[in-house]
Amino acid sequence: MFCTECGGQLDISGQCRSCAGQGLVIQPQSASAIPASGALFGSVETQVAPQMSAKVKAASKDATAAFKTFATNPVGGLPAAFANLGPTRAVGVGLVFGVVSILCVFIGIYIALPSFSKPDIGDSIKFVVFGAVPFLSLLAAAAATRKIFGGQGNYHGDCFIAGAALLPFGFLIFFTGLLGIANLEIAVLLSVFALCYGILMLYTGVTKISLVSESRAAFAVPVMIIVSFWLTKIIFGAVLPSFLPSPGRLFPF
């Protein structure tokens, strides 16, 4: 070790004899003063985790309030909920709606499947990850139609619209799984409600949030649905085989 003042050799105690003779005392740098990389990353993790948890709780609370606003009145309630949230919070709420719809679809299908073909943990995780494709496809379709048809909104509204519009279909599959095939008539009735609610929310979102004119929105909504299905079909066809379990696992007999 060398002295930081004169560059001389330090003794065993960490003192420089030249500087000590001039009345200067050089203290050796303590190893504890240098933070270890593990401690540094640990402190970062302890700071990030509470922040993420707070954001998730805030987004969930906002999503609950927004859902209560438009659940019984999708035409008037959807733009009001978006206006109350603001663009930044609306993105978080749209993501929460997307996650809820994915989980509802997974739980509904899981309940409906026979015991011998229920997926294990690995396949369940794959299904949940793969279930984000319809949300992402509808989000991309909403952004594309907004730009094509002269809308004045932004991606905040696209995310909010996509998440809200998928909720009825997520609830449909969830309750269909709970009811079972014996209550097929009720499932058909629920599908009518889900379809009507989904289209109403798409049209309202396009006109009131994306600010597309009503004359263009009547054509923009079916285009959005078609583009969304088309994107979903392409992605499913490309990666679905790698996600599906083998036929021997699904049908062991």
Side-chain angles (χ1 to χ4, degrees):
M1 297 176 63
F2 297 92
C3 178
T4 57
E5 295 293 329
C6 66
Q9 185 75 31
L10 299 180
D11 58 16
I12 298 177
S13 63
Q15 300 293 333
C16 177
R17 295 182 179 180
S18 300
C19 294
Q22 300 176 6
L24 299 176
V25 178
I26 305 301
Q27 297 293 337
Q29 186 176 14
S30 174
S32 61
I34 304 175
S37 59
L40 178 61
F41 286 112
S43 62
V44 172
E45 291 177 358
T46 56
Q47 293 176 3
V48 172
Q51 293 177 358
M52 291 297 297
S53 177
K55 289 182 178 180
V56 170
K57 290 180 180 178
S60 301
K61 184 177 180 180
D62 290 339
T64 303
F67 178 75
K68 292 179 180 179
T69 303
F70 66 76
T72 57
N73 182 19
V75 175
L78 192 68
F82 181 78
N84 292 334
L85 291 169
T88 304
R89 292 164 61 192
V91 173
V93 171
L95 293 175
V96 171
F97 286 160
V99 171
V100 171
S101 64
I102 293 171
L103 293 178
C104 285
V105 171
F106 170 73
I107 295 173
I109 294 177
Y110 187 88
I111 294 174
L113 287 174
S115 58
F116 62 83
S117 62
K118 291 185 183 295
D120 56 18
I121 296 178
D123 291 329
S124 299
I125 295 175
K126 290 180 180 180
F127 182 92
V128 171
V129 173
F130 200 64
V133 172
F135 171 74
L136 296 176
S137 298
L138 187 57
L139 175 60
T145 52
R146 172 175 54 82
K147 294 182 178 180
I148 293 173
F149 292 96
Q152 301 176 11
N154 49 41
Y155 74 93
H156 303 90
D158 299 334
C159 184
F160 183 75
I161 294 169
L166 286 177
L167 279 179
F169 300 100
F171 292 152
L172 168 65
I173 297 178
F174 174 76
F175 287 111
T176 301
L178 288 178
L179 294 172
I181 195 172
N183 298 291
L184 185 59
E185 297 84 356
I186 299 178
V188 172
L189 294 176
L190 291 177
S191 64
V192 174
F193 277 95
L195 181 62
C196 293
Y197 259 74
I199 292 177
L200 281 174
M201 284 195 287
L202 286 177
Y203 182 83
T204 302
V206 168
T207 56
K208 304 298 183 182
I209 297 177
S210 297
L211 303 179
V212 176
S213 64
E214 293 182 357
S215 60
R216 295 182 176 182
F219 186 70
V221 170
V223 169
M224 183 188 305
I225 296 174
I226 293 172
V227 171
S228 175
F229 273 104
W230 178 70
L231 291 175
T232 302
K233 176 180 177 296
I234 291 178
I235 298 175
F236 275 13
V239 298
L240 185 60
S242 62
F243 276 79
L244 289 176
S246 62
R249 278 194 46 209
L250 289 175
F251 305 102
F253 48 86

